[in-house]
């Protein structure tokens, strides 16, 4: 049984820089036609020069004729319309992090004052630049995303022309929000479709499944799975593949992030097949994203998967992937 996907896209990806970029960029570029690249480097991507030179390094490292990095800036309320307009051809989206909420987000927002945000968010609306949001408060870890709902509502209602992407949603409350506001969309990761908090911490602690937002309850996973499998037009695949070296994961003070880029399409195929929904996979991994992000040009690529065992490597460079050493049901046809 062969499955063919056209121009698969990863709408939330961490590629890092330096040696790590050299390891991970080719792995995404091998299967994906393009990806929204997160700006949480040290220092974050906040200037035209940083954005353009990072894009160059990605293109070089990805070793691909087709792979398109869609670049993002780290949100600052001081970005002016003139600045954003001058970058429009190179800038796909802007990523907003609450301060200190996750890896390299210290320079994020420490408050959500609508008037302070208005000039930048209005300019983004006018220029059709989507706002990607890491939606967590600093409350109790299981409630952080649900507590952020009121901020999403405030943003969505004050900026009705702004496309707001709720990144890596993990709760049924976030799924419900999608139908409440026309301008709210979401990415869903592979791991949040598969695991709950039990898989992370219910038995022996699994550092390679630890991420932000943390995986939640079975009913939350069921709500995410439902909208993914039905190809809900407001949800897109975004892996949030977030590589950290093994020593930073298997440590006292484990870094947050699950590395899934090289296994994502194989596992998604298995999951959608298992639920008799493979006809919706194309929508989830590409078509929906292209309808939501009307400011991207997507290279036409095809990728075929075959029902043939694939043993996941124990490591890619210094990084341990999800399902390391396990056998997956589908392989990429090379
Ligand atoms: O688990 C995560 N890792 N969540 C994020 O939001 C950031 C990411 C990273 O950059 O490592
Ligand atoms: Zn992320």
């Amino acid at each position: 049984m062969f499955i063919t996907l056209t121009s698969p896209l990863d709408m939330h990806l961490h590629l890092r820089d330096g040696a790590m970029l050299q390891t991970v960029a080719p792995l995404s570029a091998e299967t994906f036609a393009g990806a929204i690249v997160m700006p949480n480097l040290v220092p974050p991507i906040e200037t035209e020069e940083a954005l353009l030179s990072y894009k160059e390094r990605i293109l070089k490292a990805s070793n691909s004729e087709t792979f398109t990095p869609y670049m993002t800036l780290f949100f600052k309320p001081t970005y002016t319309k003139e600045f954003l307009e001058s970058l429009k051809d190179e800038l796909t989206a802007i990523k907003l992090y609450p301060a200190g909420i996750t890896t390299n987000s210290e320079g994020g927002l420490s408050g959500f004052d609508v008037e302070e945000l208005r000039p930048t968010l209005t300019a983004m609306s006018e220029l059709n630049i989507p706002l990607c949001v890491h939606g967590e408060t600093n409350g109790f870890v299981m409630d952080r995303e649900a507590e952020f709902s009121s901020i999403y509502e405030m943003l969505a209602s004050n900026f009705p022309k702004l496309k707001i992407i709720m990144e890596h949603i993990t709760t049924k409350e976030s799924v419900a929000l999608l139908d409440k506001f026309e301008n709210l969309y979401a990415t869903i990761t592979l791991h949040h479709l598969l695991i709950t908090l039990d898989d992370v911490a219910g038995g022996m602690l699994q550092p390679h499944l630890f991420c932000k937002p943390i995986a939640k309850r079975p009913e939350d996973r069921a709500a995410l799975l439902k909208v993914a499998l039905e190809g809900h037009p407001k949800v897109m695949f975004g892996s949030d593949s977030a590589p950290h070296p093994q020593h930073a994961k298997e440590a006292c003070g484990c870094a947050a992030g699950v590395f899934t880029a090289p296994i994502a399409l194989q596992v998604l195929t298995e999951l959608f097949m298992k639920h008799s929904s493979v006809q919706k996979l194309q929508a989830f991994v590409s078509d929906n994203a292209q309808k939501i992000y009307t400011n991207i040009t997507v290279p036409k690529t095809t990728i075929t998967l075959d029902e043939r065992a694939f043993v996941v490597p124990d490591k890619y460079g210094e990084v341990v992937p999800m399902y390391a050493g396990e056998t997956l049901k589908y392989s990429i046809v090379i």
Side-chain angles (χ1 to χ4, degrees), residues 12 14 16 40 95 97 102-104 134 168 210-213 240 242-244 256-258:
H12 183 131
H14 296 271
R16 314 301 192 204
N40 61 332
K95 175 71 185 282
Y97 289 95
T102 190
T103 311
N104 305 337
H134 184 116
H168 42 54
F210 172 65
C211 64
K212 303 276 180 77
D240 199 16
H244 292 275
V258 184

Side-chain angles (χ1 to χ4, degrees), residues 283-322:
F284 183 58
V285 299
S286 185
D287 297 356
N288 292 349
Q290 295 191 51
K291 287 178 195 147
I292 296 165
Y293 277 85
T294 49
N295 59 340
I296 59 173
T297 308
V298 178
K300 178 112 200 286
T301 65
T302 54
I303 184 118
T304 303
L305 293 111
D306 181 12
E307 193 175 343
R308 193 167 37 86
F310 170 60
V311 182
V312 180
D314 291 334
K315 277 206 209 179
Y316 290 91
E318 286 298 295
V319 191
V320 177
M322 189 180 185

Side-chain angles (χ1 to χ4, degrees), residues 22 56 70 83 110 116 122 139 145 161 181 188 212 215-216 270 273 305 307 328 330:
Q22 305 302 318
E56 277 309 304
Y70 301 113
F83 171 68
S110 39
E116 189 196 354
T122 302
E145 187 172 310
K161 294 260 171 320
F181 292 91
I188 301 181
K212 303 276 180 77
K216 305 287 185 318
E270 184 170 342
M273 285 297 282
L305 293 111
E307 193 175 343
L328 306 180
Y330 286 85

Side-chain angles (χ1 to χ4, degrees), residues 18 20 55 60 72 86 89 91 114 121 124 128 187 191 207 234 243 283 291 309 330:
M20 184 64 91
K55 183 178 180 185
K60 211 163 156 211
T72 64
S86 72
D89 292 342
L91 174 67
V114 68
L121 295 184
M124 289 171 64
N128 187 28
T187 55
H191 45 288
K234 296 181 98 182
K291 287 178 195 147
Y330 286 85

